[in-house]
Amino acid sequence: MNKRLRALVWLSSLLVIAGTIALIVVGIVVTDDHPLSTLSPVGRQGRDIARLINPIFIVAGVVFFLVQGAVLALWWRYRVGGSESGDGEHGFYEDDEFPDQIHGNDRLEIAWTIIPTILLAVISVFTLVALFALDDVEASEEDMVVTVIGQQWWWEYQYHLDGNTDSPPDFVTANELVIPAGVDVALDIKSRDVIHSYWIPKLNGKRDAVPGRSHDWVIQADNPGRYRGQCTEFCGLSHGYMKMVAVALTPAEFAQWRDNQMTAADAPAEGTAAAAGWDTFRQQCASCHVINGLTSAANRDGPDDSPPDGWDIYGEFNGGDAGPVLTEELVAGAAPNLTHLMTRGTFAGSIFDLYLGAGDHIPYLELANQGTLNRGDLEAWIYNAPERKPADADGKRGMRAFPSLSPEDIDNVVAFLSTLD
Ligand code: CUA
């Protein structure tokens, strides 16, 4: 073997070893405390998964180092030109010399067939046990079920307090899934367009949201807290910006939050900035965003795609002073329901914090009262959302830009949104 080739083999071997060790160290250090880490679960299902991953990872690690160690040892033992003596018996072959060629070794072949078979059989038993445990939705028929709907590029949550997903939801919210801590919450995962995948890594594995199908899932958090998530199925341009948060509250706090979510919004008092903002909202935003008690979602996604009364085909209100027809409909199918926007910690597919300083130090139920609104991101978002979060080129997905809004219009819209608590 010539010197350059030998140097290349050395270098690449060292790179592989160093790279492997670096990956393992960086992986452990970076992910353990990361908000999206599965290695530090805080819920029943997350723990079931970790209990499966950890021993398999250890076994796989041992196998990895044994095999790689054997490869390196054999390579070293039988390398060419390792010694001047060149006695073929103990390695150190000359360049033109071949070791004794053998064919087959029954004992070795049986061993390296049986050992992996046993390992995989044992792992598959534990895997099946874990899979069945994850599918075990302990919530009973009458318990609350949350229908989770993925849509390019945000999540909708429809709360069915009686567990009946065939009837209209009791209330609808977006991006932040609020649950009581300590209990299993049944989820019913769906999609309105393409395949997404719902994943709160600290609480459970991922479950695909597939159009036309309904996937049962369950989520549980041991303690109150906010746990971040990420869509994990590539779903278009802004897939990376399709985030979500699971918020676990104490049962008493959850009841308080739930009761508030079921209230409708009131129109702002005449003559205020918020009232002017409501006027703008009604003309520009209400064709996609529902606000319970103020806007209507009637016929919005009609079978023939015709706009509802009072709306033009561009989704703009042109029905004069009458305003949209009020209905009980809570779901527009087009964009998040904003009835209680100010009670959420994030917006725009959870990519922006709604309150400065992440608001994590403020109790969740106090966000609207104590938080300092992240006005910069909110105003920029309203004015030109696609600049912050790319939408499809044809403009049919994602929030569109509103270049016609003046800074004053936007201030007014924010004043109106600020009333939605
Ligand atoms: Cu939704 Cu990726």
Side-chain angles (χ1 to χ4, degrees):
M1 206 188 305
N2 67 43
K3 272 190 178 158
R4 268 179 61 193
L5 188 58
R6 202 173 302 156
L8 204 65
V9 171
W10 265 104
L11 191 66
S12 43
S13 310
L14 282 175
L15 278 177
V16 168
I17 296 167
T20 307
I21 292 171
L23 268 181
I24 292 171
V25 171
V26 168
I28 290 170
V29 170
V30 170
T31 59
D32 198 35
D33 201 32
H34 191 277
L36 294 179
S37 172
T38 56
L39 300 178
S40 42
V42 294
R44 179 174 74 84
Q45 295 79 18
R47 260 193 312 280
D48 284 347
I49 293 171
R51 249 185 243 130
L52 182 64
I53 294 176
N54 292 336
I56 291 179
F57 192 71
I58 291 168
V59 172
V62 170
V63 170
F64 176 82
F65 281 106
L66 281 180
V67 171
Q68 294 304 314
V71 168
L72 290 175
L74 291 173
W75 163 65
W76 180 257
R77 177 80 171 69
Y78 296 104
R79 72 194 187 280
V80 167
S83 153
E84 293 303 311
S85 64
D87 68 342
E89 281 289 294
H90 302 96
F92 315 142
Y93 297 93
E94 298 298 342
D95 271 358
D96 54 355
E97 209 178 349
F98 277 99
D100 288 342
Q101 301 296 297
I102 55 165
H103 180 261
N105 182 322
D106 288 347
R107 270 197 292 178
L108 267 180
E109 285 169 20
I110 290 171
W112 73 48
T113 305
I114 287 184
I115 293 173
T117 306
I118 293 173
L119 276 178
L120 291 177
V122 171
I123 286 173
S124 68
V125 168
F126 285 105
T127 304
L128 287 174
V129 169
L131 281 177
F132 283 120
L134 290 180
D135 270 338
D136 182 18
V137 182
E138 282 171 10
S140 65
E141 288 290 306
E142 313 82 59
D143 284 341
M144 175 177 88
V145 174
V146 184
T147 301
V148 176
I149 301 178
Q151 183 166 355
Q152 287 168 324
W153 291 276
W154 57 285
W155 296 94
E156 179 168 281
Y157 305 107
Q158 304 182 354
Y159 281 72
H160 300 274
L161 298 178
D162 61 358
N164 179 5
T165 51
D166 294 328
S167 59
D170 295 282
F171 60 90
V172 174
T173 176
N175 297 317
E176 302 198 347
L177 171 70
V178 180
I179 57 172
V183 298
D184 279 358
V185 175
L187 306 180
D188 168 30
I189 298 185
K190 296 178 171 176
S191 166
R192 283 209 180 93
D193 38 37
V194 299
I195 302 177
H196 305 272
S197 197
Y198 196 77
W199 192 34
I200 308 285
K202 281 183 182 289
L203 301 184
N204 201 346
K206 55 180 97 164
R207 193 65 140 192
D208 279 2
V210 179
R213 292 175 65 168
S214 170
H215 289 161
D216 288 340
W217 205 219
V218 65
I219 207 163
Q220 185 262 8
D222 296 336
N223 298 305
R226 292 171 222 180
Y227 309 107
R228 298 221 162 226
Q230 165 71 48
C231 176
T232 50
E233 185 68 52
F234 180 70
C235 55
L237 205 51
S238 278
H239 156 70
Y241 296 123
M242 186 167 171
K243 299 174 186 295
M244 59 286 212
V245 180
V247 180
L249 301 175
T250 64
E253 285 171 338
F254 178 79
Q256 192 186 335
W257 174 86
R258 177 199 62 205
D259 293 346
N260 183 47
Q261 296 293 310
M262 284 197 282
T263 60
D266 293 321
E270 295 277 331
T272 58
W278 161 229
D279 224 37
T280 304
F281 186 97
R282 191 164 54 175
Q283 292 169 37
Q284 304 283 347
C285 320
S287 58
C288 293
H289 291 285
V290 169
I291 294 177
N292 306 357
L294 291 183
T295 69
S296 160
N299 305 323
R300 203 157 285 156
D301 265 350
D304 55 358
D305 260 355
S306 57
D309 281 352
W311 302 85
D312 66 23
I313 56 166
Y314 304 107
E316 304 226 348
F317 185 66
N318 62 7
D321 298 328
V325 186
L326 298 185
T327 70
E328 294 298 306
E329 192 69 64
L330 305 182
V331 177
N337 181 312
L338 296 180
T339 311
H340 295 280
L341 173 66
M342 290 295 143
T343 65
R344 303 171 196 162
T346 57
F347 68 100
S350 289
I351 62 173
F352 299 115
D353 289 316
L354 189 55
Y355 296 97
L356 294 174
D360 275 0
H361 307 295
I362 303 169
Y364 194 69
L365 296 183
E366 293 300 324
L367 280 174
N369 294 329
Q370 297 177 15
T372 307
L373 191 65
N374 179 3
R375 200 167 274 276
D377 281 331
L378 186 58
E379 292 186 351
W381 175 253
I382 295 168
Y383 182 66
N384 191 353
E387 190 181 70
R388 314 299 298 278
K389 181 172 175 176
D392 275 355
D394 66 6
K396 287 187 177 160
R397 280 294 164 197
M399 178 154 144
R400 71 176 179 87
F402 291 90
S404 63
L405 294 184
S406 68
E408 195 195 350
D409 289 336
I410 290 182
D411 279 349
N412 291 339
V413 169
V414 169
F416 166 63
L417 294 177
S418 299
T419 67
L420 303 173
D421 57 4

